[in-house]
Amino acid sequence: MAGMALMLILCLSAGAMTGVRSEDPYLFFTWNVTYGTLSPLGVPQQVILINDQFPGPVINSTTNNNLVINVFNNLDEPFLLTWSGVQQRKNSWQDGVLGTNCPIPPGTNYTYRFQVKDQIGSFFYHPSTALHRASGGFGGLRINSRLLIPVPYPDPEDDYTVIVNDWYTKSHKTLRSYLDNGGSIGRPQGVLINGKKAEGNGKDEPLFTMKPGKTYKYRICNAGLKTSINFRIQGHTMKLVEMEGSHVMQDVYQSLDVHVGQCMSVLVTANQEPKDYYMVASTRFIKPVLTGMGIIRYSNGKGPASAELPEAPVGWAWSLNQFRSFRWNLTASAARPNPQGSYHYGSINITRTIKLFNSVSRADGKLRYAINGVSHTDTETPLKLAEYYGIADKVFKYDTIQDNPPEKINKIVTQPNVLSMTFRNFVEIILENHENTMQSWHLDGYSFFTVAVEPGTWTPEKRKSYNLHDAVSRTTVQVFPKSWAAIFLTFDNAGMWNIRSELWERRYLGQQLYASVLSRARSLRDEYNIPDNALLCGLVKDLPKPPPYSIVKYF
């Protein structure tokens, strides 16, 4: 027994493969990131390809698989990928954002190594640097349930990933220059479904094929920059079964609002006349409405899709009511997020309430977005590296914003925005939107319980309306104009984690912050060591690595 313990200590102290050493299967990928020229909206433009694909390859994994992804950056700019929704347990080193990772320099490569630990669900990956997401580099990421764990519906005939997004015909460099010069990227020019837009002329090739009488799973993700999208399938209903890692109560919908950064899985049965049908994705809450289409073809189809498209809903009250219909499926067997509060989160004592409100202003004549009056700026030395190397005081300050900020802040401050979180505390976060625009928020490293989304202003009395029984555990939540959202989570995943606007213009111009979750024990039981292949930059580039964590003290 002592020999086994010593072997475990040696393995865990090794560092490089700490996050992925286990008996679970490994999946290896080699990705070549390049520019290419395509015409998604009929206009030739530069796009970002992964292995010559747009969108990029779908990662098809299973709970607890170890993913090893070697990314070659053949762009002319530093580049990172982030794995939106993957919790990266004890392993923020692999999160792929500028607060945790040095970007991959042009002409070099970096290998991500992480485990999709204790998760199921539909997610996507995308670039986190600059405005690269505006040109592509995104793709689907599936985490299937293990064969021994039943899912609450029969196995579908096939499993399809659907990436919908608003799209600009300007390059990511041009859009970035607009923001750097103090302006906005404006409104998109169109909507894509899996990188394409059907012309509706009878010559469109199908994106997907269905056999009559069979049921298919469609994983729908909004990888856009700033626009909520309504998704529907001509002549068919959709049974919602999962969203961002949680099985949900299986209600049937004619259409679904998918806000920026969100993913949903639906079941669709091929029970209509055998011919072509349009998948329809149209923008919400902007004018004019932009619509993208893609073809679904019955395998024995005998006719073109009808030109009469199903109508989209109008107004955000409809979308709010749809959110209220979503409920977590408490009887489904699956990997459970946040085990401490998986079933009884409503009875856990809240130890801290943090109110975050978004705002827009101008600083030094340029457009900036802020959280509680602070507009975040990325640092040359990633925040996580500065913290790990013990030089955080040279790079950023903790807690420059208040948990309960004043309702009005006259001046935006531009600086790194980092909140310190007590390890394993159960926290309530209130997201307040005082603006007239739609918001969408994402938290890396965790799933959280979306206990309320309501119009008006939050007060403590609003807790009486919280869903404390079966709120969906997910990674992204929308906040409607002049509204608020409340989420619960346990900060039990040590690391540095990005809380951001999924509206990429806002994130780029400061509407984000980082949650520093430190385990004072500095133990491998709580967090992995820095990987041996970690890129170093800024102030830590030439520093020796700190002493590694160990777990000796726990034996």
Side-chain angles (χ1 to χ4, degrees), residues 230-262:
N230 181 266
F231 182 84
R232 51 212 186 269
I233 300 177
Q234 194 177 49
H236 295 74
T237 57
M238 300 177 290
K239 181 183 289 186
L240 183 66
V241 294
E242 177 264 331
M243 58 174 61
E244 296 164 37
S246 290
H247 295 303
V248 297
M249 300 304 292
Q250 297 179 14
D251 292 329
V252 175
Y253 297 88
Q254 298 288 337
S255 71
L256 286 164
D257 271 0
V258 187
H259 304 283
V260 184
Q262 294 183 352

Side-chain angles (χ1 to χ4, degrees), residues 430-433 451-459 462-463 465-466 478-486:
I430 310 300
L431 301 163
E432 280 202 349
N433 180 15
V451 295
V453 175
E454 295 293 339
T457 302
W458 183 86
T459 62
K462 302 291 187 181
R463 293 188 179 116
S465 66
Y466 284 3
Q478 72 272 19
V479 188
F480 296 95
K482 301 292 185 180
S483 301
W484 56 271

Side-chain angles (χ1 to χ4, degrees), residues 169-450:
T169 53
K170 296 285 195 302
S171 73
H172 68 87
K173 290 182 180 179
T174 299
L175 295 177
R176 183 181 183 183
S177 71
Y178 293 163
L179 301 183
D180 290 342
N181 291 322
S184 167
I185 63 174
R187 293 180 178 176
Q189 280 74 58
V191 173
L192 304 181
I193 302 178
N194 283 9
K196 299 178 180 180
K197 180 183 178 181
E199 297 295 331
N201 55 11
K203 299 179 181 179
D204 298 300
E205 291 299 317
L207 294 176
F208 306 107
T209 300
M210 298 197 298
K211 298 176 183 177
K214 300 295 185 181
T215 296
Y216 294 78
K217 185 175 185 179
Y218 288 83
R219 302 174 188 257
I220 309 151
C221 294
N222 183 343
L225 288 188
K226 64 187 298 181
T227 314
S228 298
I229 287 177
N230 181 266
F231 182 84
R232 51 212 186 269
I233 300 177
Q234 194 177 49
H236 295 74
T237 57
M238 300 177 290
K239 181 183 289 186
L240 183 66
V241 294
E242 177 264 331
M243 58 174 61
E244 296 164 37
S246 290
H247 295 303
V248 297
M249 300 304 292
Q250 297 179 14
D251 292 329
V252 175
Y253 297 88
Q254 298 288 337
S255 71
L256 286 164
D257 271 0
V258 187
H259 304 283
V260 184
Q262 294 183 352
C263 294
M264 301 178 180
S265 291
V266 300
L267 298 180
V268 178
T269 300
N271 55 8
Q272 300 299 310
E273 177 188 351
K275 61 173 189 172
D276 287 357
Y277 294 89
Y278 283 122
M279 311 168 77
V280 184
S282 57
T283 56
R284 295 278 275 134
F285 321 122
I286 66 168
K287 293 181 180 180
V289 174
L290 303 173
T291 300
M293 302 180 298
I295 292 289
I296 295 177
R297 177 165 295 168
Y298 277 53
S299 59
N300 61 340
K302 298 178 181 178
S306 167
E308 186 176 346
L309 300 181
E311 293 186 1
V314 177
W316 62 264
W318 183 95
S319 191
L320 174 59
N321 286 330
Q322 185 172 85
F323 163 82
R324 290 169 174 163
S325 72
F326 299 151
R327 291 290 184 268
W328 198 19
N329 187 340
L330 298 178
T331 64
S333 298
R336 290 284 177 180
N338 296 330
Q340 179 182 358
S342 288
Y343 294 97
H344 304 294
Y345 67 89
S347 61
I348 302 174
N349 291 329
I350 297 168
T351 57
R352 183 179 179 185
T353 296
I354 302 170
K355 186 188 294 185
L356 304 175
F357 73 87
N358 50 273
S359 61
V360 57
S361 185
R362 302 193 76 84
D364 299 324
K366 293 185 176 182
L367 182 67
R368 295 295 301 186
Y369 295 96
I371 299 175
N372 293 8
V374 174
S375 185
H376 176 81
T377 55
D378 289 313
T379 55
E380 185 180 359
T381 306
L383 307 170
K384 178 60 181 174
L385 287 175
E387 194 174 67
Y388 187 79
Y389 275 78
I391 60 168
D393 59 329
K394 297 181 181 180
V395 177
F396 66 92
K397 295 180 181 179
Y398 292 99
D399 302 319
T400 58
I401 62 173
Q402 305 172 36
D403 284 4
N404 189 23
E407 296 221 358
K408 187 173 182 181
I409 294 176
N410 295 320
K411 185 178 180 181
I412 284 180
V413 177
T414 303
Q415 64 186 29
N417 196 354
V418 182
L419 277 177
S420 57
M421 300 292 179
T422 301
F423 190 41
R424 296 198 176 100
N425 265 13
F426 191 68
V427 175
E428 172 189 46
I429 298 179
I430 310 300
L431 301 163
E432 280 202 349
N433 180 15
H434 299 169
E435 301 178 52
N436 291 318
T437 55
M438 191 75 191
Q439 304 293 318
S440 184
W441 292 88
H442 174 83
L443 171 58
D444 282 347
Y446 296 90
S447 61
F448 48 73
F449 297 99
T450 53

Side-chain angles (χ1 to χ4, degrees), residues 485-505:
I487 64 175
F488 286 175
L489 73 150
T490 302
F491 276 99
D492 60 355
N493 191 14
M496 182 73 72
W497 304 107
N498 194 211
I499 302 174
R500 62 175 176 264
S501 172
E502 277 294 296
L503 312 184
W504 218 246
E505 174 181 55

